[in-house]
Amino acid sequence: MRFFSFKCSIPYDILTKANKLICEMEDEMKAQEDCANLFEVPFGDFKELHMCRKEIRMVKQLWDYIFLVRTSIDEWKTTPWKDIDVENMDMECKKFSKDIRGLDKEMRSWDNFIGLEVTVKNMLTSLRAVGELQNPAIRERHWQQLVTATRVSFTMSEETTLADLLNLNLHSFEDEVHNIVDKAIKEMAMERMLKELDVVWSSMEFSHELHARTGYTLLRCSEELIETLEENQYSFKT
């Protein structure tokens, strides 16, 4: 049946028709059972029909949950970049994941169950990537690096939403995102260090002294200047 497919666009319509058919067969089964009891003859157990009833209930339960997850994610997708609450979304996804694991084990081989599970898993991975990209160290050049890595056209702006970021298929580029963010953090630390050095060295002054024999003016380094230089050199090495 098509309602076992995660890509099914009208599962409830198909479920309604299937349920109607099962109800008709159950009515027929009840009529036959009444006749069998009346004439005191053996009556079959109709295992297949009972299994159909059980499965259609499970399918309905699963599709209810699929639409719950889809509705939540679709709502999140409209969230502007600056307002994305990764922590809360992550908590919701983990709850979805826990609930999915609690569904009947017979569902686990169904395509719609697998599709739901993959959707939530990919969303969790993407949210981790989005959380990393919210680091203040990220600059325009880093977004360009991400575009190059994902090979998806993207421009960061005030109108950017979670949907735009998910279109980058971040769940497939978790390592690339981590490397870009890690590089950005190191670059930011280096920029901060250079600014601090600029402040320190802009106030440093050489002393002057005359060469005893030639009379030329020589620059002289103070002990403080030499110590500062050595400390700064060590900082760059580490």
Side-chain angles (χ1 to χ4, degrees):
M1 296 292 287
R2 282 191 295 162
F3 52 56
F4 284 111
S5 171
F6 186 67
K7 294 181 179 180
C8 181
S9 59
I10 51 171
Y12 289 114
D13 291 345
I14 301 173
L15 279 168
T16 298
K17 292 177 182 178
N19 183 64
K20 182 180 179 182
L21 182 60
I22 291 173
C23 286
E24 290 173 355
M25 289 189 287
E26 287 174 336
D27 290 341
E28 178 65 24
M29 180 187 71
K30 182 65 171 61
Q32 291 183 24
E33 183 179 14
D34 291 342
C35 289
N37 291 335
L38 180 63
F39 293 101
E40 297 181 348
V41 296
F43 180 73
D45 54 15
F46 287 83
K47 288 182 179 180
E48 292 81 3
L49 185 56
H50 291 307
M51 179 59 69
C52 286
R53 170 55 65 195
K54 178 184 177 182
E55 283 196 350
I56 202 168
R57 284 173 178 162
M58 289 194 297
V59 173
K60 169 66 165 55
Q61 179 189 18
L62 181 56
W63 274 109
D64 286 345
Y65 208 80
I66 289 172
F67 274 89
L68 172 64
V69 171
R70 283 179 175 175
T71 301
S72 297
I73 292 177
D74 286 343
E75 183 179 345
W76 296 345
K77 285 181 177 180
T78 63
T79 308
W81 157 250
K82 61 182 179 180
D83 297 329
I84 296 175
D85 189 340
V86 171
E87 184 177 355
N88 279 337
M89 292 179 184
D90 182 75
M91 288 175 60
E92 282 295 310
C93 276
K94 286 178 178 176
K95 182 180 180 300
F96 290 153
S97 184
K98 181 180 179 181
D99 290 344
I100 291 169
R101 290 195 299 271
L103 293 173
D104 197 302
K105 292 182 179 180
E106 291 184 28
M107 300 180 185
R108 296 185 180 182
S109 62
W110 298 352
D111 181 73
N112 46 359
F113 179 91
I114 295 170
L116 173 61
E117 197 172 40
V118 169
T119 297
V120 174
K121 180 181 177 181
N122 288 347
M123 190 65 189
L124 277 167
T125 304
S126 294
L127 285 173
R128 283 197 298 270
V130 171
E132 288 201 82
L133 291 169
Q134 288 180 326
N135 193 296
I138 296 295
R139 302 284 190 271
E140 178 61 31
R141 63 181 180 274
H142 302 119
W143 289 113
Q144 291 304 315
Q145 291 171 13
L146 184 61
V147 168
T148 301
T150 60
R151 298 181 181 179
V152 177
S153 179
F154 171 81
T155 302
M156 172 55 70
S157 69
E158 291 293 324
E159 287 73 38
T160 298
T161 63
L162 178 60
D164 298 318
L165 294 170
L166 295 180
N167 287 338
L168 293 171
N169 298 316
L170 295 178
H171 62 275
S172 299
F173 298 95
E174 188 175 15
D175 290 340
E176 287 82 353
V177 170
H178 179 76
N179 291 336
I180 289 172
V181 174
D182 185 59
K183 180 181 177 182
I185 292 172
K186 291 178 180 177
E187 289 174 354
M188 188 177 190
M190 181 63 71
E191 290 171 3
R192 186 182 298 115
M193 183 182 295
L194 289 172
K195 288 180 180 178
E196 292 173 355
L197 289 177
D198 183 60
V199 172
V200 171
W201 284 94
S202 62
S203 62
M204 287 288 182
E205 293 183 355
F206 290 99
S207 58
H208 304 82
E209 66 177 5
L210 291 176
H211 191 275
R213 183 170 58 82
T214 64
Y216 287 114
T217 301
L218 302 177
L219 295 178
R220 182 180 178 83
C221 297
S222 65
E223 289 294 328
E224 179 188 1
L225 189 149
I226 294 174
E227 289 178 3
T228 302
L229 177 61
E230 290 176 348
E231 289 176 2
N232 293 161
Q233 287 177 326
Y234 178 77
S235 297
F236 269 105
K237 289 179 181 179
T238 56

